[in-house]
Amino acid sequence: MEMKKRISLELRSRKPAEVVELVVDNCRSSDGEVEGLTEEFSELEILSMVNIGLTSLSKLPSLPKLRKLEVSDNTISGGGLDSLAEKCPNLTYLNLSGNKIKELSTIEVLKNLKNLSSLDLYSCEVSALDEYRDGVFELLPQLTFLDGYDQEDNEVPDSEADNDDEDEAGPPGVDDDDDEDEDDDDDEDEGSEGEEEEVGLSYLMKDGIQDEEDDGDYVEEEEEDEEEEDEDGDEDGVRGEKRKRDADDEGDDGDEDDE
């Protein structure tokens, strides 16, 4: 894909002045120069043009807020490096690794980048020279890191890498504290659900116990009814026997009168 078309796609309906980070890696420059990038990208802070066939940075527009420039794996031999200080005065990180830079004198012009603190030149022919590291630090005293290490061979601290990751992380406003708050909310929701389940279970158990008590009361009422029926039956039997005895007595009295 051509570089101009790729930049147009990366805009995603935004205006150039709204773009802070632009990545056009692995597209293709038709003439080895920067294409489709204009001074309208005035808010651009991060620009990545890895492996797009660049031979020069001469047509890079003025990008006053640019602080990170990735142009590794191209065929830049030095063209346009002398204008970086004027076009990108706030540049702090420059990655030229995998290009055609052969001599230390080629990068001497970078000393005008007063804010440049990190430079990558690994896989360039210049990195194979004797006293390469000492020579670069001597030419560019403002540098802190060369190819990821300082003059004492200390690696770039994690804080530097973290800052780079944050630059590429997307819109601000979401951090670890927010994640922890969300986790706390989830825990509270789970706790509430657990309490509701316990309350529901307690209610069901209580309801079951009440049903058993009601069944017990019903059984007791049935037993009382049966006892009352038995008592009524006994009373009826007594009355029947009494009526029978009275009848017999009347019969005996009648017999005596006849005599």
Side-chain angles (χ1 to χ4, degrees), residues 1 13 22 45 59 74 88 94 105 110 112-113 123 153-154 161-162 170 215 217 224 226 229:
M1 182 184 294
S13 75
L22 182 64
E45 297 182 12
K59 293 185 179 181
N74 286 289
C88 310
L94 175 61
S105 58
L110 299 178
N112 296 319
L113 284 167
S123 296
D153 288 332
N154 296 311
D162 290 343
D215 292 342
D217 294 342
E224 290 176 359
E226 290 177 358
E229 289 177 359

Side-chain angles (χ1 to χ4, degrees), residues 5-111:
K5 185 176 181 180
R6 176 67 179 276
I7 290 176
S8 178
L9 290 174
E10 290 294 332
L11 281 174
R12 297 187 182 93
S13 75
R14 296 174 296 175
K15 295 179 180 179
E18 297 174 340
V19 180
V20 175
E21 178 179 356
L22 182 64
V23 178
V24 293
D25 299 347
N26 302 311
C27 64
R28 191 54 48 191
S29 169
S30 59
D31 60 357
E33 297 282 355
V34 176
E35 302 173 321
L37 196 63
T38 68
E39 294 183 358
E40 292 179 347
F41 288 83
S42 57
E43 299 298 314
L44 197 62
E45 297 182 12
I46 301 172
L47 175 60
S48 183
M49 300 183 291
V50 175
N51 189 32
I52 65 172
L54 288 178
T55 59
S56 172
L57 293 175
S58 297
K59 293 185 179 181
L60 183 73
S62 177
L63 301 170
K65 291 190 176 182
L66 193 69
R67 54 189 179 82
K68 182 177 181 181
L69 178 60
E70 293 260 9
V71 286
S72 59
D73 299 326
N74 286 289
T75 55
I76 298 170
S77 58
L81 294 182
D82 56 344
S83 63
L84 283 180
E86 180 182 352
K87 295 177 178 179
C88 310
N90 289 306
L91 201 63
T92 61
Y93 173 80
L94 175 61
N95 189 345
L96 288 167
S97 60
N99 279 279
K100 301 296 183 180
I101 297 173
K102 302 178 180 180
E103 305 292 337
L104 287 176
S105 58
T106 304
I107 63 169
E108 186 174 3
V109 294
L110 299 178
K111 66 183 179 182

Side-chain angles (χ1 to χ4, degrees), residues 21 46 68 158-170:
E21 178 179 356
I46 301 172
K68 182 177 181 181
D158 292 338
S159 58
E160 295 284 340
D162 290 343
N163 288 335
D164 290 341
D165 291 341
E166 288 175 3
D167 290 337
E168 302 172 1

Side-chain angles (χ1 to χ4, degrees), residues 170-202:
V174 178
D175 54 23
D176 293 339
D177 291 339
D178 293 334
D179 293 339
E180 290 176 1
D181 291 341
E182 291 177 1
D183 292 339
D184 291 341
D185 292 340
D186 293 340
D187 292 339
E188 290 178 2
D189 292 340
E190 292 176 359
S192 299
E193 291 176 0
E195 290 176 1
E196 290 176 359
E197 291 179 358
E198 290 179 1
V199 171
L201 182 59
S202 299

